Amino acid sequence: MSDAGLTYLVAGEATKDSVAITFEFAVPAKTHFGPCEAEEGAPGFVVVEGTDTVVAATIHGDHLFFNGFPSGAEITERRADWIRLADEATGGDGHVDTDDLAGIAGTDLEVLFPTGAPANEGDAQYFLAGSPVPVNTALDFVVGQLSTQGHFQGEGECPWELLD
């Protein structure tokens, strides 16, 4: 992964109504997180001389399924149907990978991540503004979401900056 410049390898299976789609995303999303604050708003942490201090840097994998990009107070829905739609857009072989995502753009991208007003109650609606990268392909959506998932002390926030 390091030789290929990758920061994440995300693999899994999404299942709905007995239909399973496997996925494997090898993603370059080099991101700097910080300065981080605990959920209570206290920045950083203190290590007193001669003692140990335990802190938790966490990666929230559910960001990959957010219908928008977090910015402060999160009001998001978690949706995985875009993986099934990506499979359909790339031939329907039951597997979605990084190359598949990189090839989904334009109107196919709007099918995966509809941004207009939902036609029916319960339909997916995505909010792509606020992504750290322009979302021109489905892979851009994944890179953007992975770049926002760093947290501190549980739900504490870590500002992010995507690196070259």
Side-chain angles (χ1 to χ4, degrees), residues 15-120:
T15 305
K16 182 178 180 182
D17 299 331
S18 300
V19 175
I21 309 286
T22 60
F23 56 90
E24 183 172 303
F25 310 141
V27 181
K30 295 177 185 173
T31 310
H32 174 264
F33 296 102
C36 298
E37 294 183 352
E39 190 172 10
E40 303 81 37
F45 59 94
V46 175
V47 179
V48 177
E49 185 177 344
T51 66
D52 294 331
T53 300
V54 177
V55 297
T58 58
I59 294 176
H60 291 190
D62 63 336
H63 283 225
L64 193 58
F65 304 103
F66 281 6
N67 68 325
F69 291 89
S71 58
E74 295 175 16
I75 302 173
T76 59
E77 295 177 11
R78 286 154 182 85
R79 299 186 173 269
D81 200 43
W82 65 267
I83 294 174
R84 177 188 60 81
L85 295 169
D87 181 53
E88 289 178 4
T90 58
D93 64 358
H95 181 76
V96 180
D97 64 22
T98 311
D99 291 338
D100 292 333
L101 295 179
I104 298 173
T107 57
D108 287 337
L109 185 65
E110 179 65 22
V111 170
L112 268 61
F113 309 110
T115 57
N120 301 298

